[in-house]
Amino acid sequence: MADIGDKLRSAREAKGLSIADIEKTTKIQSRYLTAIEQNDFDKLPGDFYVRAFIRQYAQIVGLDGKELLSEYHQDLPESKPDEYVENSIDNKSEKVRETTDNKKNLWRNYLPKIAIGLGAIIVILIIYVLYARLSSSGKNNSNDNNVAITSQSSSKKSSTPVAKKKSSVKIAPLGNNQYRISGLKNNRKLEVKAGDIRTNATISVNGVMQWSNPLDAGQKHVYVLPADARNVVITFGNDRGSSIKIAGKRVKYSATGNYLSLTLLIEGAKTTNNNQSSSTANSYSYRQSNQRQTNQSSHVQSSSVQSSQRQTNQSSHSTVTQSSASTNQKQSH
């Protein structure tokens, strides 16, 4: 009759399992499993473990552990009754199951509480986030309102048309290329510009030429009129495409492509300079009159000298004539 070790080995081989496979499943060291198959129970750590290891081995290879232990009861060392072994193994398994079940029950009992706590935390976080967003949106709205008010005020300011200062200069045509200029104040710039050809241009003020120069095509010249300017004459050798502006205002005239002489009569010229110019002209005329009188007196004096000299020459000539006549008379007697 085969012993318990041979029966366990035969069942293992019939399953196609190795000692290593049994070791992985039962967690029993391979040396103890080999000792069981060889019926060398003294190598096991104790008599209690003989029955326990055999029962576990039998369950893995598909044998009934209780029947196997009962059948080979006499071949096994008797340390304790079978009930003790059964109770020990079963009780430990039951205790393990109970402990595991208790842990599972504990988790099941605590899960609702944990879920409620997590739900409360989530609700608090949602409320906090909503409050933060509402407060930030309120601040943004206030800022937006301020920005809107500011932008509206700025847009109103920008939309309000800036009243451009109208030029007070008025240009009235008088005919024959003459224009009356009124309202001329601080801006006294006179701009002459050549057209699409090179031309000669001149500017005369109060009868005195102030500027004369050729202008290339499109070239312009700016001259600032003096405060006493009353009569301004501008000439172009060829007025084709030319232009004249005074105080930024264009003088409208018809270009003929020929020589142009245009006169500007300035109103409101200062009289002080006129008086000075008049006095200067009067003094100049006075000096010229004195010079003419001096020249006339010198001419009269030279004429009188020449007349007296002629009279002296005539008297001398008559005396010489008389003396010669008397001498001739004496010789005849």
Side-chain angles (χ1 to χ4, degrees), residues 71-230:
E71 182 179 356
Y72 295 97
H73 177 70
Q74 295 178 355
D75 296 335
L76 299 176
E78 295 182 3
S79 58
K80 289 182 180 180
D82 295 340
E83 291 81 3
Y84 179 77
V85 176
E86 293 175 2
N87 290 334
S88 297
I89 296 171
D90 294 339
N91 287 337
K92 286 182 179 180
S93 300
E94 291 296 333
K95 286 181 180 179
V96 171
R97 290 192 188 95
E98 289 178 0
T99 304
T100 304
D101 293 339
N102 290 332
K103 290 181 179 179
K104 290 181 179 179
N105 291 329
L106 287 174
W107 277 105
R108 290 174 183 174
N109 293 330
Y110 283 113
L111 275 176
K113 296 180 181 179
I114 293 171
I116 293 171
L118 291 174
I121 293 171
I122 292 171
V123 170
I124 292 171
L125 289 174
I126 292 172
I127 293 172
Y128 175 76
V129 170
L130 291 175
Y131 176 75
R133 287 186 178 180
L134 290 174
S135 61
S136 62
S137 63
K139 290 181 181 179
N140 292 330
N141 289 331
S142 62
N143 293 331
D144 293 339
N145 291 331
N146 294 331
V147 171
I149 293 171
T150 306
S151 62
Q152 287 177 359
S153 61
S154 61
S155 63
K156 287 181 180 179
K157 290 181 181 179
S158 61
S159 62
T160 303
V162 178
K164 294 183 179 180
K165 293 183 178 179
K166 293 183 179 180
S167 177
S168 59
V169 178
K170 294 182 180 180
I171 303 174
L174 301 177
N176 295 327
N177 288 333
Q178 291 186 353
Y179 298 84
R180 179 180 293 108
I181 309 300
S182 60
L184 194 63
K185 294 182 180 179
N186 295 328
N187 186 1
R188 304 181 68 83
K189 292 181 180 180
L190 175 65
E191 178 186 304
V192 293
K193 184 178 180 181
D196 52 359
I197 60 173
R198 179 183 174 89
T199 183
N200 292 322
T202 64
I203 297 175
S204 300
V205 178
N206 297 337
V208 180
M209 184 177 293
Q210 301 295 330
W211 175 81
S212 176
N213 211 34
L215 292 175
D216 293 331
Q219 185 181 2
K220 65 181 178 180
H221 175 74
V222 177
Y223 174 78
V224 179
L225 297 174
D228 62 345
R230 300 183 310 278

Side-chain angles (χ1 to χ4, degrees), residues 7-32:
K7 195 170 185 176
L8 290 172
R9 183 175 59 253
S10 298
R12 175 178 63 79
E13 291 175 352
K15 290 281 187 182
L17 299 175
S18 63
I19 295 294
D21 295 333
I22 303 299
E23 181 182 7
K24 289 179 181 179
T25 305
T26 60
K27 306 301 180 184
I28 300 172
Q29 296 182 12
S30 59
R31 59 176 181 171
Y32 296 148

